[in-house]
Amino acid sequence: MLRLYLPFPLSGKCRKMHQMQARRRIIDANLNRAREAARVLEDIARFEVESGLIASSLKRLRHDIAALRRADNPIGARDTAGDVGTEISVPEEASRSGAADIVAANSARLEESLRVLEENYKCENAGTAEKTEQLRYTAYRLGAVLLRQINIRPRLEKVQLCVIVTDSLSRHGALETTRRAIEGGADMIQLREKELGDGKFLGLARELRELTRNSDVLFIVNDRADIAAAVGADGVHLGADDLPIAAVKKILGPEALVGATAHDMEELTRAVEEGADYLGVGPAFVTETKPHEPVRGLGWIREAVSGAGIPCFAIGGITAANIKEVVETGADRVAVCSGVISSENVVNAAKTIRFQLPDINRETEE
C-alpha cells in the first residue's frame, strides 16, 4: 500500500495554518504570472500590432490585476527558496516561432493564472472571486482579438482600394463595372444591395465571387452573412443594426473577414474590442448613397486612422477630385462607391484614386 507522509505531523490548527499559507503562496505566484503575461500581450499590441486601443485595454487589465494585490497583498507568504516548482520546465517553453506563438502562449498563461486565482479567492472572498472571473473573461476576449489581428493582417495589408458595388448605381451593370474596377486597381470588392430580392442578390453575389476569385481580389458582402456564406465570400461588412461580430464569425468561420463601420470613437472602440478585422470610417464628405447621413469630416478620418490600430478605410463621398484631401489625413486605404461605379470610365476613375494613395505595398517590401 502506498502511503504518503508529511515532513512533520500537523495538528488540526497547524494543518489549517499550513493550508492558508499554501493558498497565499498560490495567490502570490499567480498574481505575478497574470501580470507578466498581460504585460507581454500589451507590448505585442503596442509594438507589433501597433494598436493603441488593444494595448490600452490590456494595460487596464494589467492594472486591475495589480489592484487585486494592493487590496490583499500575499507577498509575505512568498518562499522562492522553498518552492519545489522553480526547477520544473518543459522543452516547449524554450522557444517561440513568432508573435502569434507568443500571444497564444501568454494568453493561455494569463487565462490559467486568473482561473487559479478565482478558485482560491472563492475560499477567502466571494466578491474578489467574482471580480477575477470577470477579468478572466476580459482576458479571453482581448487575447482572441490580438491573435486575430496578427493572423488576419497579412490578408489585408496590401489592400488599399475597396470599390463598393450596387447594381442600380453601376453605369455599366454590376458585373461589368466590377470587372473594370478591378482592372483599374481595386483589390477589394464589396457588394452592397439594399433593394434586390434574395434570389437576385444571391445570383449576383455568385457572379461577383467567381470574378473576384479569378482576379485574386477580396470579395465582401455588405450586411448579409447568409449570402456571404452561401457564395464563399471572403467576409462580410456589418452596420450598426446588423448581427454582432462574434455571431457572424460563428456563421462564416474563423477565416472570414468581418468589417464594421465607425462614425465616432465610441463605435470604433467597440468594434475593435469586439473583434472587427477592419473598419470603414466616415463619412468624409456628403455621399450620394446616404445623402442624409451626417458628415463626420476629414478630422474624424485623421483621428480614426491614427488611433484604431487595425486597417481603416476612409469612406463617404470620396472621388478622384477629393482623394488628395483624404490622403493628407494619413489615410492609406479608401472605400469608394459612386466615385468609381457611376463614372463613364470606371477604369480611369479607379486608377486615378489608386494612383494617389501612398504605396504601402512598396513600403512593406522595402
Side-chain angles (χ1 to χ4, degrees):
M1 179 184 295
L2 177 64
R3 294 186 178 182
L4 299 178
Y5 293 94
L6 289 170
F8 50 85
L10 294 176
S11 65
K13 183 177 181 181
C14 289
R15 184 181 300 277
K16 185 175 182 180
M17 290 179 62
H18 175 76
Q19 291 172 342
M20 290 177 61
Q21 183 76 353
R23 189 160 56 245
R24 297 275 80 201
R25 292 173 67 191
I26 291 171
I27 290 173
D28 178 53
N30 282 280
L31 283 171
N32 286 342
R33 289 192 192 104
R35 283 196 69 195
E36 289 166 359
R39 186 54 187 255
V40 172
L41 297 177
E42 179 187 334
D43 283 350
I44 293 288
R46 179 181 174 187
F47 297 110
E48 175 82 17
V49 177
E50 297 183 325
S51 173
L53 286 176
I54 300 175
S56 295
S57 296
L58 285 163
K59 184 174 183 178
R60 284 195 298 273
L61 174 61
R62 181 166 55 84
H63 281 271
D64 287 342
I65 295 168
L68 295 177
R69 181 179 288 283
R70 289 195 300 271
D72 180 24
N73 194 345
I75 194 171
R78 187 175 300 173
D79 180 15
T80 304
D83 185 350
V84 298
T86 57
E87 301 298 323
I88 300 174
S89 63
V90 293
E92 291 81 2
E93 294 177 339
S95 64
R96 296 282 184 261
S97 61
D101 197 13
I102 294 172
V103 169
N106 282 276
S107 291
R109 186 184 190 200
L110 175 58
E111 293 157 13
E112 290 165 2
S113 297
L114 289 171
R115 183 64 192 222
V116 173
L117 287 168
E118 179 188 340
E119 292 300 318
N120 281 273
Y121 279 135
K122 288 176 182 177
C123 298
E124 300 189 350
N125 188 311
T128 304
E130 290 177 4
K131 289 179 183 177
T132 308
E133 181 183 26
Q134 294 306 311
L135 293 180
R136 179 164 56 85
Y137 293 147
T138 299
Y140 287 155
R141 176 174 54 81
L142 291 177
V145 168
L146 183 58
L147 187 60
R148 173 77 175 180
Q149 277 303 307
I150 291 172
N151 288 334
I152 212 73
R153 185 158 293 203
R155 297 184 64 192
L156 285 168
E157 65 183 358
K158 295 184 178 181
V159 176
Q160 292 188 266
L161 176 57
C162 173
V163 172
I164 301 170
V165 175
T166 299
D167 188 55
S168 61
L169 299 175
S170 301
R171 182 169 294 195
H172 306 285
L175 187 61
E176 180 59 27
T177 295
T178 299
R179 184 178 291 109
R180 296 183 188 189
I182 293 172
E183 183 182 344
D187 31 33
M188 178 189 283
I189 298 295
Q190 178 181 326
L191 176 60
R192 180 166 66 190
E193 291 292 351
K194 301 290 188 179
E195 299 177 1
L196 280 184
D198 286 355
K200 290 184 177 180
F201 193 161
L202 180 61
L204 178 57
R206 282 177 173 154
E207 289 182 311
L208 296 190
R209 169 70 288 190
E210 182 179 2
L211 174 60
T212 52
R213 182 183 288 118
N214 292 337
S215 304
D216 196 24
V217 168
L218 291 177
F219 178 54
I220 304 294
V221 176
N222 196 70
D223 298 342
R224 299 287 299 272
D226 55 341
I227 299 290
V231 304
D234 294 294
V236 68
H237 188 90
L238 302 175
D241 299 324
D242 294 325
L243 289 171
I245 292 172
V248 169
K249 289 187 176 182
K250 288 183 179 180
I251 294 171
L252 298 181
E255 297 303 314
L257 297 168
V258 180
T261 300
H263 302 93
D264 54 42
M265 190 53 74
E266 181 179 353
E267 290 183 358
L268 186 151
T269 300
R270 182 168 60 250
V272 171
E273 291 185 345
E274 289 178 358
D277 297 315
Y278 71 89
L279 297 171
V281 295
F285 306 101
V286 175
T287 170
E288 292 182 25
T289 56
K290 298 181 180 180
H292 302 298
E293 187 169 306
V295 174
R296 296 291 291 137
L298 296 174
W300 164 236
I301 303 298
R302 182 178 292 105
E303 181 182 6
V305 299
S306 65
I310 68 174
C312 287
F313 292 80
I315 189 172
I318 296 173
T319 66
N322 59 32
I323 182 62
K324 184 178 180 181
E325 297 175 66
V326 177
V327 170
E328 288 173 351
T329 68
D332 53 19
R333 295 176 170 89
V334 296
V336 183
C337 186
S338 299
V340 170
I341 69 172
S342 298
S343 300
E344 178 62 36
N345 193 324
V346 173
V347 175
N348 281 351
K351 279 185 176 179
T352 301
I353 292 172
R354 182 59 187 263
F355 179 76
Q356 295 191 65
L357 292 172
D359 192 344
I360 59 175
N361 298 328
R362 184 178 64 243
E363 292 171 4
T364 301
E365 291 167 1
E366 291 175 353

